[in-house]
Amino acid sequence: MKVLVAVKRVVDANVKVRVKADGSAVELANVKMAMNPFDEIAVEEAIRLKEAGKAEEIIVVSIGPQQAQETLRTALAMGADRAILVKTDEQTEPLGVAKVLKGVVEAEKPGLVILGKQAIDDDSN
């Protein structure tokens, strides 16, 4: 069985976030980024399934800027087999992310899709 896991690049959970001076968003310049902790749990579960012999391949997918490849590399280092980056420099809304993930699922045809509970940056799920 092929397992697909979606991962998101977020501000590291141990970093104290700051709001931009104009109040428009969170300051992301020179801030440590990491894999969303709930997505990390999803990757770990996929690895457990593979170690138990229930999964043959783990594919991680992320939607975002080129820097999101760092998050994918983390998942590969954890034990994922393959990574897909859907590159976009625009801010993506949850519905747009869902549509892109639907397309990836249709293309890859995994037997199981594992998603984290929610994102720690915008609480989307």
Side-chain angles (χ1 to χ4, degrees):
M1 169 175 65
K2 187 187 301 187
V3 178
L4 184 116
V5 183
V7 296
K8 184 176 183 184
R9 179 178 183 257
V10 297
V11 174
D12 189 283
N14 298 316
V15 172
K16 183 173 166 82
V17 295
R18 292 176 286 127
V19 177
K20 288 184 178 180
D22 63 2
S24 64
V26 172
E27 182 63 54
L28 297 178
N30 301 318
V31 175
K32 183 180 178 197
M33 304 294 275
M35 183 185 305
N36 184 51
F38 294 114
D39 297 341
E40 191 171 348
I41 293 167
V43 172
E44 289 171 358
E45 184 58 32
I47 293 167
R48 283 190 199 104
L49 289 171
K50 186 173 179 184
E51 289 171 348
K54 297 177 182 175
E56 297 163 5
E57 182 181 24
I58 300 169
I59 305 165
V60 290
V61 61
S62 190
I63 302 161
Q66 188 67 34
Q67 295 90 338
Q69 68 181 328
E70 298 164 9
T71 304
L72 294 173
R73 284 191 187 119
T74 300
L76 290 169
M78 290 172 67
D81 299 302
R82 198 159 47 100
I84 299 170
L85 173 61
V86 180
K87 188 176 176 299
T88 179
D89 291 324
E90 296 179 21
Q91 183 69 25
T92 52
E93 295 295 322
L95 180 59
V97 171
K99 289 178 179 181
V100 170
L101 285 176
K102 178 181 181 258
V104 173
V105 168
E106 288 172 348
E108 291 293 332
K109 299 188 184 347
L112 177 66
V113 177
I114 304 177
L115 307 171
K117 176 176 97 165
Q118 69 191 59
I120 63 168
D121 59 353
D122 61 4
D123 257 0
S124 296
N125 42 351

